[in-house]
Amino acid sequence: MGLSWQQGPLGRNPNGQFLVAGVPERVLYAEPLRRRLRAELGGQTVVQSDDAVLLFEPGRYPVAYFPIEDFADGALVATDHRSTHDDLGETAWFEVAGGTRSAARGAWQHVALPEHAAILEGKVALAWRAMDAFYEEDDRILGHAADPYHRIDVRHSSRHLVVRAGDRVVADTKSPLVLYESGFAPRWYVPRGDVVAETLTLVEQQTFCPYKGIASYYDIDGTRQAAWSYRAPIDDMAAIGDLVSFEPDRVEVTLDGERLALEPGQTVVSHGIDRELGIGEAGALLLARAA
């Protein structure tokens, strides 16, 4: 997903390759965000900055680092806790004090940076899930820091897509949509009218994607979570609203007669400091956006 996650160029399983010799196994990249970013905790803005820097490291979503002077007075409380980052050295941790509550070890700073990492000098990162909210300008950013290298394109197609579960045809369409998302193999979506409705059994599980919205899942003839749909996606993803996509490793999906296979490295795994919004909270936020 983007530059350093999934199959991005700095990810652990990149889709492409660098055409130079001797590329290190771990490549870290940092760049100025060039957007106004702020964080809130306990009903108070703890930091607002036009000079945040994004750090990309393999297998992680980007992390925003703020100039320490842009934090509100008293927002950072030094602690005795220290740790060591494999690439960036000794790390000091802070308690973050908000209006009505605090976050223990909610922020950190690399205090013995190597010379080549000077762009992070004097900057402090916030644990995403420890804060109440992050905003770019006045729009809330959900899930994790926005990756400027992440992109989604949805395209209409006239290719023939067929889905089967055993000998049973589940979907048959000549008007699928294909979703191209940074770091992922293409995903194919089928209009509801081209899906045999009774083959889908809605299950309780839902997941949240900060780029597409809340996904609902379906079992097909006893095969668990073989399909999913964004019933009410984020505005930018309206084209795939209520369409159905199918897991090619759980049911048979053919495109112009050629069977699709699930590519490695496509499973989304929450990790590190990235905040997992509950479905209820995410749903409320999406409704607020639409209001």
Side-chain angles (χ1 to χ4, degrees):
M1 191 174 285
L3 188 64
S4 59
W5 184 232
Q6 298 297 342
Q7 292 184 301
L10 301 185
R12 292 171 177 158
N13 183 32
N15 184 46
Q17 63 186 74
F18 291 100
L19 301 184
V20 294
V23 178
E25 183 176 341
R26 283 178 53 83
V27 177
L28 275 64
Y29 175 75
E31 69 173 37
L33 178 60
R34 297 191 292 196
R35 306 181 188 187
R36 173 164 290 185
L37 186 64
R38 79 175 190 271
E40 294 182 354
L41 178 66
Q44 175 180 309
T45 295
V46 294
V47 66
Q48 177 174 287
S49 181
D50 295 331
D51 298 308
V53 168
L54 283 187
L55 173 67
F56 300 82
E57 58 179 304
R60 292 193 179 277
Y61 298 124
V63 175
Y65 283 71
F66 300 87
I68 196 167
E69 62 268 20
D70 288 345
F71 282 83
D73 291 343
L76 295 178
V77 181
T79 73
D80 294 331
H81 183 66
R82 293 289 188 275
S83 63
T84 302
H85 188 284
D86 288 343
D87 304 286
L88 302 175
E90 183 182 0
T91 303
W93 291 77
F94 300 88
E95 176 183 349
V96 182
T100 58
R101 70 182 189 90
S102 298
R105 296 186 189 176
W108 67 92
Q109 179 184 22
H110 306 298
V111 294
L113 287 163
E115 185 175 340
H116 60 261
I119 190 173
L120 298 178
E121 194 72 48
K123 294 181 175 64
V124 175
L126 290 170
W128 194 272
R129 63 183 174 185
M131 299 298 105
D132 291 336
F134 285 80
Y135 295 84
E136 286 184 358
E137 295 293 343
D138 293 330
D139 287 339
R140 184 166 177 184
I141 306 302
L142 303 178
H144 56 78
D147 187 338
Y149 294 96
H150 181 274
R151 178 178 176 136
I152 297 177
D153 294 305
V154 179
R155 301 288 184 254
H156 292 80
S157 176
S158 57
R159 298 170 72 178
H160 188 196
L161 187 144
V162 181
V163 181
R164 294 182 177 86
D167 295 329
R168 189 179 190 184
V169 173
V170 174
D172 189 330
T173 186
K174 290 186 178 178
S175 56
L177 272 68
V178 56
L179 185 146
Y180 300 110
E181 181 171 5
S182 302
F184 289 91
R187 293 293 200 177
W188 293 86
Y189 284 78
V190 179
R192 285 271 172 177
D194 293 334
V195 178
V196 181
E198 59 267 25
T199 63
L200 303 182
T201 302
L202 184 67
V203 299
E204 291 187 5
Q205 181 178 352
Q206 292 181 310
T207 59
F208 171 67
C209 169
Y211 299 101
K212 297 188 288 292
I214 295 174
S216 299
Y217 291 84
Y218 303 90
D219 293 347
I220 298 176
D221 289 349
T223 301
R224 289 188 53 77
Q225 298 174 24
W228 72 90
S229 178
Y230 290 94
R231 308 301 299 272
I234 291 171
D235 288 348
D236 291 345
M237 292 292 103
I240 63 167
D242 208 29
L243 276 65
V244 183
S245 192
F246 298 87
E247 287 285 11
D249 62 332
R250 301 186 185 187
V251 289
E252 179 184 309
V253 182
T254 60
L255 187 64
D256 289 340
E258 182 176 346
R259 184 166 184 174
L260 302 182
L262 184 68
E263 292 195 19
Q266 300 297 289
T267 302
V268 178
V269 180
S270 300
H271 57 84
I273 64 165
D274 306 307
R275 184 166 187 243
E276 293 182 76
L277 287 179
I279 293 299
E281 182 183 359
L285 291 168
L286 293 176
L287 286 174
R289 275 186 175 184

